[in-house]
Every structure is written in C-alpha cells, then in structure tokens.
Amino acid sequence: MENPDQKTAEKILKSLTKEQIALLELEHTFEIELEDKHVFTILDMEDGNYIAVNKQGKVYRLNHEHKERAQLIADSPIDFFNIYNGHKIELEILMNE
C-alpha cells in the first residue's frame, strides 16, 4: 500500500542525498496538524516524540510533554544534517530544549 504522506515528505526532502534519506524513517511518515502547523514525521524518537518537516522544509522537534510542543530546530533539511548524523541519541538534548 502506498503512503501519500511519504510521497509528500520525499518531495519536501528532495535536496538531500540518498544516503541522508536512508537515515530517516520515511516509510512510517504521517502528517500531524499541530497548532497551525502541518508537519510530516521523519524520525520517531520512540518515546511519543518526533522530528518532523513542514512543506517549506523547516525541521521541527515535536515533544508532546513540552510546553512548546513544536520547536524549530533547522531551517532546511540540509541544515538538519549539520546536527544529525544518524544517531538519534544525539538529538535527545534538542528534544527537551
């Protein structure tokens, strides 16, 4: 079954290399409407929190327990890979800022 949210996320992330795309979890992508933002998950932090991208390519951390549930962490997918190298543990600090 084809995931239309995955196709949307792939279009948003078209500036990334195949290697970078492989570090994301696009096969499980889904759209979340949070406040006035529509974002697509790209990483599941496995604790109910996510890393997500909006249609403009801005990357957010989504933390359901934080007072600011969606916080911008990178202005573009390429900028996101300046802070993410494939190890989710390194994003833990960002999840709680």
Side-chain angles (χ1 to χ4, degrees):
M1 182 182 298
E2 189 172 299
N3 178 350
D5 292 337
Q6 179 180 354
K7 296 295 181 194
T8 301
E10 289 171 348
K11 287 178 188 175
I12 296 166
L13 301 168
K14 66 184 175 203
S15 63
L16 297 177
T17 66
K18 288 182 180 184
E19 293 79 15
Q20 290 169 321
I21 292 286
L23 296 175
L24 303 175
E25 298 169 343
L26 300 184
E27 64 277 1
H28 302 293
T29 296
F30 59 94
E31 183 177 11
I32 297 174
E33 182 178 351
L34 187 60
E35 298 149 10
D36 61 343
K37 296 174 181 68
H38 289 262
V39 296
F40 298 85
T41 61
I42 58 173
L43 285 175
D44 181 350
M45 298 304 291
E46 300 173 18
D47 58 2
N49 299 318
Y50 295 91
I51 302 295
V53 63
N54 70 5
K55 289 185 177 180
Q56 292 73 40
K58 295 192 181 290
V59 182
Y60 293 86
R61 68 101 175 107
L62 306 179
N63 184 330
H64 68 280
E65 295 178 346
H66 198 280
K67 68 177 181 164
E68 187 179 359
R69 294 172 53 187
Q71 182 179 22
L72 180 68
I73 59 172
D75 286 324
S76 72
I78 292 171
D79 289 344
F80 174 66
F81 276 93
N82 290 329
I83 57 174
Y84 178 63
N85 63 6
H87 301 286
K88 290 181 190 179
I89 193 75
E90 296 176 4
L91 297 174
E92 288 298 319
I93 293 170
L94 287 175
M95 294 307 296
N96 296 311
E97 287 183 344

